[in-house]
Amino acid sequence: MENYRSTIRRIFQILPIIGFSLFFILAIYAYRHGIFQSTDSLQVFIQQFGQYAVLIFILLQIIQVIIPILPGGISSVVGMLMFSTGWGLVYSYIGLVIGEALGFLLVRYYGVNFVQLILSPKKYQKFDQLLTAHTQNIRRFLIWTLILPFAPDDLVCLVAGLTKMSFREYMRIILILKPWSVGIYGLMMLYLFRKAQGL
């Protein structure tokens, strides 16, 4: 009986990893074929999943936090164009919060090696500078990066994973301030997109 339970636990531990890996491969394939280069191509890509389009969009947002495969803001704009402004922001919030939680836990577990794996040398240098400068005041710095649009909040979330900040405190800040961050950033990007399109 104990062996059976142990096997079930292992299966439940492995399944999310397999799912995440398969989706990551799909995301890399899409990236290499230029699907993420414009809002139109990204919408077509997501729409082909039919009733699962919302789930795919949320998964993209999760991946985007940990591995930035999309040009800045394009995913939020696509979400609002596809699902309406309100629901697009809600789905973005869900995906980004899950992504921020996973990013924090992965960095806490795997340390700097994980950060070096997912960031380009240029972004890692910026990450290292933030870590050096803000380890002691990470709580205040995280709050400010979530309040200010276009601040590097994803990088700061990775930095937080290497500090003494507890996961509970981290998630409390994320859950409270991320709606503001997602809303302001998303609406600004949508406005700029429509301006560029002459709408």
Side-chain angles (χ1 to χ4, degrees):
M1 189 67 177
E2 185 58 36
N3 288 338
Y4 175 76
R5 287 177 179 173
S6 178
T7 302
I8 294 296
R9 276 197 300 268
R10 285 176 183 271
I11 290 172
F12 278 106
Q13 287 172 348
I14 292 171
L15 280 177
I17 296 171
I18 293 173
F20 186 82
S21 300
L22 289 173
F23 187 78
F24 178 71
I25 292 168
L26 178 65
I28 294 299
Y29 170 84
Y31 177 78
R32 289 184 174 176
H33 286 76
I35 291 170
F36 296 151
Q37 298 306 309
S38 73
T39 53
D40 291 335
S41 60
L42 184 55
Q43 283 185 77
V44 170
F45 172 71
I46 295 173
Q47 284 170 343
Q48 71 180 334
F49 294 94
Q51 61 181 334
Y52 300 107
V54 170
L55 179 61
I56 294 299
F57 174 75
I58 290 173
L59 287 172
L60 272 175
Q61 292 293 64
I62 294 170
I63 295 278
Q64 170 67 10
V65 173
I66 303 169
I67 305 169
I69 52 177
L70 300 172
I74 188 173
S75 56
S76 296
V77 170
V78 166
M80 288 184 283
L81 292 175
M82 287 185 66
F83 308 114
S84 81
T85 301
W87 283 113
L89 291 175
V90 169
Y91 299 145
S92 287
Y93 171 73
I94 293 170
L96 293 173
V97 165
I98 295 172
E100 304 286 20
L102 285 175
F104 180 96
L105 292 173
L106 287 167
V107 172
R108 174 132 311 172
Y109 186 78
Y110 293 106
V112 174
N113 289 335
F114 175 76
V115 180
Q116 289 177 319
L117 181 67
I118 64 171
L119 295 182
S120 65
K122 185 177 180 181
K123 282 205 168 185
Y124 178 76
Q125 184 179 14
K126 189 173 183 180
F127 165 85
D128 193 46
Q129 290 169 350
L130 289 173
L131 180 62
T132 303
H134 298 286
T135 298
Q136 299 303 319
N137 64 338
I138 189 63
R139 185 178 185 277
R140 185 166 66 249
F141 191 58
L142 176 61
I143 290 170
W144 277 111
T145 54
L146 287 167
I147 290 174
L148 299 173
F150 303 102
D153 60 314
D154 291 346
L155 275 181
V156 177
C157 289
L158 296 179
V159 169
L162 291 175
T163 69
K164 294 180 179 179
M165 175 181 279
S166 70
F167 181 66
R168 178 177 291 185
E169 181 183 15
Y170 169 80
M171 285 307 299
R172 186 162 55 243
I173 293 170
I174 294 294
L175 289 169
I176 292 172
L177 292 179
K178 201 65 183 179
W180 164 268
S181 174
V182 171
I184 295 297
Y185 183 77
L187 291 172
M188 287 178 69
M189 291 304 301
L190 183 63
Y191 171 78
L192 293 173
F193 171 78
R194 285 176 170 163
K195 265 296 196 190
Q197 298 293 313
L199 301 176

